[in-house]
Amino acid sequence: MQITRRAALTGAALALPALRTAHAAGNVLRIGISSSLSRLDPLMTTIGDEYIYDNLVFNGLTRMAEDLTIQPDLAERWEFSPDLKTWTFHLRQGVQFHDGSTMTSADVVALFRRLLDPATAAPSRSNYEMVASVEAPDANTVVFTLSSPYGGFADILSDRQVKIVPAGKVAQLPTAPIGTGPFRFVSYTPGDRVVLAKHDAYFEPGMPRLGGVELRIIPEMSAKLAALQSGDLDVVWDLPLDQVKVLQGRAGLRVESVSSGSWDAAIMNNNTAPFNDPRVRLAFQMAVDKADLVETVLFGQGVPTISPIPPTHAFYASGLQVPAADPAGARKLLAQAGHPNGVRVPIIVPVGRAVRERLGVALQQLAKPGGFDLQVQRVPFSSFDAEVSGKAALYIDGYFARPTIDTSTFPFLHSTGSWNAKLWHYNNKAVDEALLAARLSGDAAAQKEHYQAMQAAVLADPPGLFAYAVNFACAYRAGVTGVKTHPMRWFDLRQAAMA
């Protein structure tokens, strides 16, 4: 197992022979992705390309199926106390890590204690702050004690980063990761590929059916699509939405576009003028027709929304209407906020994220009649964390669907939320109260009531502009079977096969 640093091939014509060689060597599925992986430690991963790797090399206690139901993974069963504060998970016995060692409850406890340690700075830590303690009464049992009731606890254990690794080999995760997943890590060449091989001792009989997987890093979508159609790639992950209708029905290909809870937004820094005035933020909402954004930016492959809760979810506040554009009303509100001549401000978009670039350009055009003069500035996506996130007054960003509505909303909208601190610095008492009440309830009807109250408060006092919920699409060679497009943007390849 190794990470190499040989130079990446720069042209699709040069890259394709390497793809053919890998495929000829065995039953290897070749997936085209866009970005190099910055981290191989699953706990520290933050981008979609990394999450694919997470779910192939590692397992969690639970897993989420394509229909968003929660299923057993490393935990074969679990139960909880009537007050929803004690959760007991019973582990599968005899599960082997890729190095041949046996997974036990000690590995699970070590993972969660590392996650909860502030010094680790795990991106998902705030999702698990209700965990007061985690203990292992025996080698096959793990008991979580929560500080407050949390009905969705088994659900959040299916999330991307909470994967079980050997307790004694955490230090080697950045270079030689070890998991229990259906595929083991072989090598990683930044800018070129991640090579994975079948885990022969995988705990589910007969799985995986593939001999291996290669994640081919090809930033240019045109090169990925050419490779897919020529047979030099088997799957294109995150198909551009403008290509869905183009490729549907094309011989030799299968295209799937599924609704998801992923969203894009115009992030407004609530601590920085002019967006520290809620009237300016509300005026921005009034200036833009979100239905136009769906058609212009997503080519119809999505739906307008008012928060991270997608309109397809049962907790969505269907009684609230996404307002149509009211440019005159927006200008009037800006004047009341002390901007009679409108607002002139840069809007930063991430280079290499085509949908979000289009969103920025569309907002520049659509918001202008409402009094917003936006200057589009482009910054490499790789520089966003250091230079833009939580700092710029206005920028475009987006976030993937989470496994529960709590993890989709609390970190982003609660005043103490971990993502809120990196985005808009939003502080709304009614939103805080509703999110906390929903988190403390185990009753779905009560949760729905609280989340609908939250959405009403966000609509009246928006932290920024939630533009839409985005469909997620992938394209496959017709010979690829046993895999469906997952709304959480990862792949379950345990039963995948190639004709």
Side-chain angles (χ1 to χ4, degrees):
M1 298 181 180
Q2 61 178 338
I3 291 184
T4 60
R5 293 194 175 273
R6 58 187 172 86
L9 300 176
T10 57
L14 292 175
L16 298 186
L19 288 168
R20 293 190 189 100
T21 300
H23 189 52
N27 189 23
V28 177
L29 186 74
R30 302 152 303 166
I31 302 174
I33 64 174
S34 299
S35 301
S36 291
L37 279 58
S38 298
R39 305 161 186 87
L40 296 180
D41 178 352
L43 188 61
M44 306 307 290
T45 53
T46 59
I47 65 173
D49 311 72
E50 294 170 344
Y51 299 151
I52 299 172
Y53 150 85
D54 287 350
N55 283 276
L56 297 177
V57 177
F58 307 94
N59 295 95
L61 292 180
T62 63
R63 69 163 60 100
M64 180 174 286
E66 289 86 354
D67 63 359
L68 304 184
T69 58
I70 299 301
Q71 301 177 350
D73 200 359
L74 292 179
E76 59 184 3
R77 59 187 174 88
W78 56 89
E79 63 264 358
F80 49 85
S81 61
D83 65 359
L84 298 173
K85 294 175 68 174
T86 303
W87 290 71
T88 303
F89 291 82
H90 304 276
L91 305 182
R92 298 180 190 269
Q93 298 184 34
V95 174
Q96 291 187 23
F97 286 110
H98 299 147
D99 64 353
S101 61
T102 299
M103 186 272 302
T104 72
S105 58
D107 301 301
V108 179
V109 170
L111 178 279
F112 281 93
R113 288 180 177 173
R114 178 172 170 245
L115 165 66
L116 295 170
D117 183 353
T120 304
S124 60
R125 177 175 174 267
S126 68
N127 294 344
Y128 303 89
E129 288 180 339
M130 78 292 289
V131 177
S133 67
V134 54
E135 305 294 339
D138 59 53
N140 302 307
T141 308
V142 180
V143 178
F144 293 87
T145 301
L146 311 186
S147 58
S148 57
Y150 193 72
F153 190 65
D155 299 36
I156 63 173
L157 299 184
S158 71
D159 208 359
R160 309 160 178 86
Q161 300 107 326
V162 285
K163 304 301 184 183
I164 308 306
V165 299
K169 297 187 176 180
V170 170
Q172 74 180 58
L173 291 175
T175 57
I178 296 174
T180 59
F183 300 94
R184 59 180 176 81
F185 175 83
V186 176
S187 66
Y188 170 41
T189 304
D192 184 16
R193 74 186 75 186
V194 180
V195 179
L196 309 177
K198 176 180 180 178
H199 176 26
D200 291 323
Y202 187 60
F203 60 86
E204 294 183 281
M207 301 183 196
R209 298 168 65 188
L210 294 170
V213 177
E214 282 195 0
L215 304 180
R216 296 287 288 127
I217 302 159
I218 307 174
E220 291 297 325
M221 182 56 64
S222 59
K224 283 199 285 281
L225 293 177
L228 178 72
Q229 294 181 82
S230 68
D232 292 302
L233 280 178
D234 303 301
V235 181
V236 169
W237 175 78
D238 200 9
L239 183 70
L241 299 179
D242 63 337
Q243 293 295 315
V244 170
K245 294 179 181 178
V246 173
L247 296 180
Q248 280 178 338
R250 185 162 295 184
L253 298 181
R254 172 170 61 94
V255 177
E256 293 181 349
S257 177
V258 299
S259 60
S260 82
S262 299
W263 50 271
D264 288 335
I267 308 297
M268 301 173 187
N269 190 327
N270 291 196
N271 287 340
T272 302
F275 300 111
N276 56 346
D277 189 328
R279 293 172 296 183
V280 175
R281 303 196 301 270
L282 187 58
F284 198 96
Q285 315 291 312
M286 298 170 67
V288 177
D289 192 320
K290 293 182 180 181
D292 287 345
L293 292 176
V294 170
E295 292 302 320
T296 302
V297 180
L298 302 182
F299 305 95
Q301 302 292 315
V303 62
T305 191
I306 55 179
S307 83
I309 301 178
T312 53
H313 197 279
F315 290 172
Y316 182 74
S318 56
L320 299 175
Q321 290 189 345
V322 177
D326 181 7
R331 285 186 174 274
K332 181 178 180 180
L333 192 55
L334 283 179
Q336 294 174 6
H339 304 281
N341 298 318
V343 168
R344 180 180 173 87
V345 64
I347 183 169
I348 301 175
V349 300
V351 175
R353 294 296 188 266
V355 174
R356 295 173 196 169
E357 288 188 78
R358 286 200 301 272
L359 176 56
V361 172
L363 287 174
Q364 181 187 42
Q365 299 169 353
L366 294 175
K368 192 172 184 63
F372 289 89
D373 183 7
L374 307 179
Q375 301 88 51
V376 174
Q377 296 181 0
R378 291 173 169 81
V379 172
F381 180 71
S382 59
S383 301
F384 247 56
D385 278 350
E387 300 177 13
V388 178
S389 297
K391 304 177 182 68
L394 177 64
Y395 62 97
I396 301 299
D397 211 339
Y399 292 86
F400 301 128
R402 265 58 180 171
T404 69
I405 294 301
D406 176 78
T407 55
S408 299
T409 56
F410 196 100
F412 292 93
L413 293 172
H414 195 276
S415 59
T416 64
S418 57
W419 281 107
N420 181 37
K422 299 176 182 178
L423 298 174
W424 24 53
H425 308 284
Y426 182 57
N427 193 333
N428 181 295
K429 183 179 179 181
V431 170
D432 280 2
E433 290 176 348
L435 289 175
L436 185 59
R439 172 173 274 194
L440 297 180
S441 174
D443 180 73
Q447 289 175 342
K448 181 175 182 178
E449 181 179 345
H450 295 312
Y451 284 124
Q452 290 189 342
M454 177 275 291
Q455 291 168 82
V458 166
L459 187 61
D461 175 26
L465 178 83
F466 289 102
Y468 42 65
V470 191
N471 279 16
F472 177 62
C474 293
Y476 308 81
R477 297 288 300 174
V480 176
T481 61
V483 57
K484 298 178 181 179
T485 300
H486 203 300
M488 297 297 288
R489 303 175 65 92
W490 59 61
F491 290 110
D492 180 352
L493 299 181
R494 290 173 298 151
Q495 299 193 60
M498 301 168 62

